[in-house]
Structure formats: structure tokens, C-alpha cells
Amino acid sequence: AAEGEARAAKAALRESEARWRREVGGSQQERMRLRAEVGSLLQRLNTKSTAREGEGPPSPKRARTGVTPVGSGGGAAQGAGLLSQTAVYAMYHDAEALVREERARADAAEAQLSRLADRVQAALPVYQERSSRLDSVLEANAALSQRAAEAARQVEATKREA
């Protein structure tokens, strides 16, 4: 019974860890996807802002950041695929909020896993003691059963002789 409980506790621990790892993996994939999306948007923004006709090269800061002045350039046709600095910041803010949520979930899962491991470690000596007592009881029971069987054979033999 104690071994069964220990196995069940170990299985629960493995299942909890596997679930936590799946959740962390999913959130990491989402974070990587968002980073790639923001990177591609920034790259598109840089490519389109430097390829405008009739404009000189962008200032060094604009070349690094890919930001264009609000009123510059060729109107709606030019800026149709571009995001404003505010939109990019909003996307960045949302991504950071998702990362904070993921970290909070990961911390909570880690704390839960730690509590579970502590409980298992605290209960392990009790289970080991029970297991050793059960082993000694089984050995004593086997010895008593053997002695009882031998006594029954002797009684049977004395009945036959008498």
C-alpha cells in the first residue's frame, strides 16, 4: 500500500512537471512568434521608409529606429502598410504584458511543483518506515506460516500412527 502511494505521488509529480513544461513551452513559442512579428514589422517599416521616392536619406536616428515623421511623404498610398510609433509601442506593451503573465504562471507552477516536491520528500521517510515494517511483517508471517504448516504435518503424522 505504501509503495502504491509512493508510486502515485511520483506519477502525480511527473504529470505536474510535464504539464508545467508544456505550458512554458507554449508561452515561449508565443513569445518567439511575437518577437518575430515585431521584427518583421520593424524591418518592413525600415525598408519602406528608406525606399521613398523624392526624399533624401533618413537621419541617423530614423535610420536606426525606422520611424518617420507623421506628416511626411506621399500620403495614404505610401503609409498603407506602415504602423505608427504608437501602434508599435502598443504591440510591444501587449507583448510585455503577455510575458509578465507567462512569468507569473511559470512562477506559480514552479512554486506548486516545489510544494509538491517538499510534501513528497517530507512523506518519504514515513513511507520508507512503513515499507520496512511491512517487509519485516511479511518475513515473520512467512516464517509463522511455515511453522504452522510443519506443525499441521506433524499432527497429521501422529494421527496416522495412532
Side-chain angles (χ1 to χ4, degrees):
E3 287 182 21
E5 291 175 11
R7 283 190 203 117
K10 287 179 184 177
L13 182 63
R14 282 191 298 264
E15 181 182 322
S16 176
E17 183 180 4
R19 186 173 42 249
W20 175 77
R21 288 185 186 280
R22 282 192 304 272
E23 289 175 4
V24 168
S27 60
Q28 285 177 342
Q29 288 175 350
E30 179 67 14
R31 189 177 332 134
M32 294 301 289
R33 186 190 66 77
L34 288 172
R35 283 183 182 163
E37 185 177 332
V38 168
S40 69
L41 289 172
L42 288 175
Q43 187 177 15
R44 265 189 13 213
L45 186 64
N46 284 336
T47 303
K48 288 184 179 181
S49 69
T50 57
R52 289 194 192 112
E53 295 178 19
E55 284 190 10
S59 69
K61 183 175 181 179
R62 286 197 182 118
R64 281 194 315 271
T65 61
V67 177
T68 59
V70 175
S72 71
Q78 173 192 358
L82 300 179
L83 292 175
S84 69
Q85 194 172 15
T86 306
V88 171
Y89 178 76
M91 289 176 62
Y92 174 76
H93 185 268
D94 292 342
E96 276 199 338
L98 289 173
V99 168
R100 278 192 302 275
E101 286 178 22
E102 182 273 326
R103 284 185 184 147
R105 281 195 312 265
D107 290 344
E110 187 67 35
Q112 182 181 10
L113 188 60
S114 178
R115 284 191 307 270
L116 182 61
D118 290 343
R119 280 181 38 202
V120 168
Q121 286 179 349
L124 187 61
V126 174
Y127 291 135
Q128 288 174 335
E129 173 64 26
R130 283 183 188 170
S131 179
S132 65
R133 281 190 309 193
L134 286 174
D135 287 342
S136 63
V137 166
L138 284 174
E139 290 174 8
N141 188 22
L144 286 174
S145 295
Q146 192 176 28
R147 285 178 50 198
E150 183 62 33
R153 281 192 290 272
Q154 287 178 357
V155 167
E156 195 64 36
T158 53
K159 281 184 182 180
R160 282 189 217 141
E161 291 176 4

